[in-house]
Amino acid sequence: MKRMIVIPVLLGLLWTGLLLVLFLWNVAGERRHIQELAEYQARAFFQQILATRAWNAAHGGVFVPVGAGAAPNPHLPLAERVLTAANGETLARINPAYMTRQIADIAAQSAGVHFRITSLAPVRPENAPDAWEREALTGLPPGGDRFELVPGRPGGDQFRFLAPLVAEESCRGCHPGLAIGSVRGGISVSVPAGPLLASRERNQRTLAATYGIIWVVGLLGLGGSTFEISRRREKAEALSRMKSRFLANMSHDMRTPLTGIIGLSERLLREDLSPRAERYARLVIHSAGSLLEIVGDILDVSRLDSGRLELEARPFSPRRAVEQATGIFAFTARDKGLDFSVRVAPQVPQNLTGDAFRYRQVLANLLGNAVKFTERGAVRLDVDAQPTADPRQVRLRTVVSDTGVGIAPQNQGRIFECFSQVDDSLARRHAGSGLGLSIARELARMMGGDIAVDRAPGRGSAFTVPARLAVGGQGAPAEETAGRTQGPPGGPDPALAGLRVLVVDDHNVNRILLNDILREDGAEVRLAAGGAEALSVFAATPCDLVLLDLQMPGLDGAQVVRRLRGMETELGRGRTPILILTAFALPGDQDLLPAGEIEGVLAKPIDVAALHRAMRAAAGARPLAVPAAVGDPPPPPAPIADAAPPGPGPGGELLAPDEALRLLGGRRDLYRLLASDFLDSAPELAAAFEEATRRGDLAEAGRAMHTLKSGAASLGAAGLRDTAARLERLARTGEAPPEADTRALRDMLDRTNQALRRAVAA
């Protein structure tokens, strides 16, 4: 949104600046035009006067009848002033200077243009220069002239022009002492500036109006274009969301029955089966896992296409990553009779910083294809490191080579297209979705490299992946911390058989988990998805124990406890033990616990052994760790022993299924069931969080993150659990989560879901 505002503003400022520059340039041009026009007029008058004087001088003057406008020139010798014609009429001689004055009077009266002869040593006093003329005559260069706008003259501003008057042979008749070529003085021309300046002002106002209209139209165009781009972008995003929703629904519709198939097959394997039936069950699990992997590839392509997939930068061991990626393929290759070898060069650093999970995903795609398309010979993985210009980075070069069918040059680009394979015929020997290499190439490019393929049909293939990664990193590599803590699995607790338990939790994963654990114990379980439903179930059926989530939409756990205690009084029942289930997000959450009204607190994720101990203690009415009574200082309630959630470990591992399985008592079938439900519900919770954040409903956003945190903790997804907990804390404290944290949530959720799908399919 911020970018959509900044870009139009910058374009608007650029458009305004461009038009302003053009407007000022046109205004300056208009000023120059008026100046040049006035100078042209002044020069035209000057040239006319020169031509008139030259003609007059060439003919020795002009004789006209003496009258009011043509009196004899007193500055001429008396004998040359007048001439008597044959008819007795007296004619006055008009010499060049006299004619210039006569024409000047006519021009001043008719056109308002004033010109006159002036000199620093005038013959006639009235030809003495004014201040401007004196300055111009004094500084006049040889052969030059002077023109400028002189403001403040009587009658208004004037354009003034002065050019030298050079003495010629004809001038010596009136000025016998002049040397030919000398400067006697000059002719000064004054043109009224008012009409021209008024014209300039009108033109400037017209320019301003024109550019103003252009500016407004341009801004409207930019605004309209921005709106249209925004509309198209929103439409594209809506289509992308629709596509993602379609893929998610398709994934749900496919993954749900497949997970059920896998879960039921896992349970079937726990029975006493014949070798043939056991082999069939394992084949069912393997086939369903392959389909789950294809569904995961489709979702990966969708995230890559929409740009929602982001790489994480965490320290990891490249050798450990290679070991984890090659394990399963080494067994498959040996089953096919292939020679499978791995070489990691000594110069490869011990620790790098990057996305180990995505790097393993690229390796898995390339190694899987190599093993699948190689019938005889060998598959080899080589990893080495090359230095870069930046000593803090290396180029990790990974080569997967095989002696399989090879790829023709014309098909080497096609194999990286989505849903494309070299052999697309119905009779093709190797199955697959055609997405693996497309995903691998996009991931390689996100790592600063690409995938290159070499060799020809019949000689095998070699895929080279260069990746630019940072050297080293703080803390232990994340993937090495997985599985370090694993306790003995817990089994059913016969002491809880027949116990009537009401489970209240708004998260379906937790309800499924507790329902399965308690039913295996032999307990009678009733489920409620919220506070109102819990009150209804409690009123209808007595219970021996209530397991109650603290944070729920609508009625939270504390409100439900108080109402349950009130209902016990109304219904005449005894006190029902209540265990609170929660993972404290803030220290203040402890104050939400109803003091003296509960029997204990269980921290999430649920540890089966700790749950059994707490239920036995509560059902046996033995005192547990509970908050102080009302009126006492409220110390933080201590969770029941061994119920604390597992820490993320030094590296903050993405997924630790071994720890989650320990808490589930080793129940892999239950873990798959929980994972399937989480994969369905987690994207909806993330979407609900983003929508609530956008509309400013931080309470709803916090509830969504609390539910997501609980589900992630139950599955051992420490990274997602911590991310959701951080966002929950922000929302609970009234602080809107930054966009970077929201992106981190999406990325962590995508990565966790991918890891869960692979864990379920393994």
Side-chain angles (χ1 to χ4, degrees), residues 545 656 676:
L545 180 67
S676 175

Side-chain angles (χ1 to χ4, degrees), residues 22-332:
L22 290 176
F23 172 72
L24 294 177
W25 181 74
N26 276 277
V27 167
E30 181 66 20
R31 290 177 179 273
R32 287 193 304 271
H33 171 69
I34 295 298
Q35 193 93 353
E36 291 169 356
L37 181 61
E39 185 176 359
Y40 175 79
Q41 292 179 350
R43 288 182 180 277
F45 275 108
F46 176 77
Q47 294 297 331
Q48 290 175 1
I49 294 301
L50 285 185
T52 302
R53 287 172 59 86
W55 181 85
N56 186 299
H59 293 82
V62 178
F63 289 89
V64 298
V66 174
N73 186 352
H75 298 285
L76 291 177
L78 186 60
E80 297 179 3
R81 295 179 184 178
V82 296
L83 177 67
T84 302
N87 60 1
E89 185 178 12
T90 302
L91 302 176
R93 184 180 183 182
I94 306 298
N95 67 344
Y98 197 4
M99 180 176 287
T100 300
R101 289 192 295 274
Q102 295 290 327
I103 295 174
D105 292 340
I106 296 173
Q109 294 175 4
S110 61
V113 178
H114 300 270
F115 59 90
R116 69 192 188 102
I117 299 172
T118 185
S119 174
L120 294 175
V123 175
R124 301 175 63 243
E126 56 267 28
N127 287 343
D130 58 23
W132 182 86
E133 291 170 338
R134 182 179 300 279
E135 180 184 353
L137 287 171
T138 303
L140 202 65
D145 52 34
R146 182 170 178 177
F147 175 83
E148 63 181 321
L149 174 64
V150 179
R153 294 279 299 173
D157 299 339
Q158 291 184 338
F159 289 105
R160 303 201 66 181
F161 176 80
L162 187 142
L165 191 60
V166 181
E168 300 177 353
E169 180 65 32
S170 58
C171 298
R172 300 180 69 179
C174 299
H175 305 279
L178 286 177
I180 297 175
S182 63
V183 177
R184 172 64 179 168
I187 295 181
S188 173
V189 181
S190 299
V191 179
L196 292 175
L197 294 180
S199 175
R200 186 182 72 182
E201 294 298 326
R202 287 194 302 271
N203 291 342
Q204 288 179 353
R205 285 194 296 270
T206 302
L207 280 174
T210 302
Y211 275 93
I213 293 173
I214 295 173
W215 178 71
V216 171
V217 171
L219 288 183
L220 291 176
L222 285 174
S225 300
T226 302
F227 173 77
E228 181 65 16
I229 292 172
S230 177
R231 189 183 67 82
R232 290 178 180 271
R233 180 179 179 180
E234 291 175 358
K235 184 177 180 181
E237 290 176 347
L239 290 174
S240 177
R241 288 193 297 269
M242 186 183 301
K243 173 184 173 184
S244 299
R245 188 178 297 277
F246 166 75
L247 290 173
N249 291 336
M250 182 199 69
S251 170
H252 171 268
D253 293 341
M254 293 180 66
R255 187 171 61 241
T256 300
L258 287 173
T259 306
I261 292 171
I262 294 173
L264 291 174
S265 300
E266 288 276 3
R267 284 183 172 270
L268 191 61
L269 286 175
R270 298 171 65 180
E271 304 295 332
D272 186 12
L273 301 176
S274 66
R276 184 179 183 183
E278 182 178 349
R279 182 161 57 90
Y280 287 169
R282 294 191 184 281
L283 286 174
V284 169
I285 293 173
H286 177 74
S287 300
S290 298
L291 286 176
L292 281 175
E293 188 172 349
I294 292 174
V295 173
D297 285 344
I298 293 174
L299 294 178
D300 273 346
V301 168
S302 173
R303 284 192 293 270
L304 286 168
D305 185 53
S306 62
R308 291 178 52 208
L309 195 150
E310 296 181 3
L311 298 183
E312 194 170 54
R314 287 193 177 185
F316 74 98
S317 167
R319 290 173 175 80
R320 175 65 174 160
V322 169
E323 178 185 346
Q324 291 176 330
T326 56
I328 185 172
F329 300 108
F331 287 110
T332 307

Side-chain angles (χ1 to χ4, degrees), residues 312-316 354-357 360 474-484 646-656 716-723 726 748 751-752:
E312 194 170 54
R314 287 193 177 185
F316 74 98
D355 197 323
F357 175 75
R360 292 195 303 268
Q474 297 295 324
E479 72 276 4
E480 293 183 356
T481 64
R484 286 181 178 173
E653 63 268 21
L654 183 65
L655 185 64
L720 182 59
R721 179 199 66 197
D722 294 343
T723 301
R726 182 172 65 255
M748 181 60 71
R751 291 157 52 82
T752 302

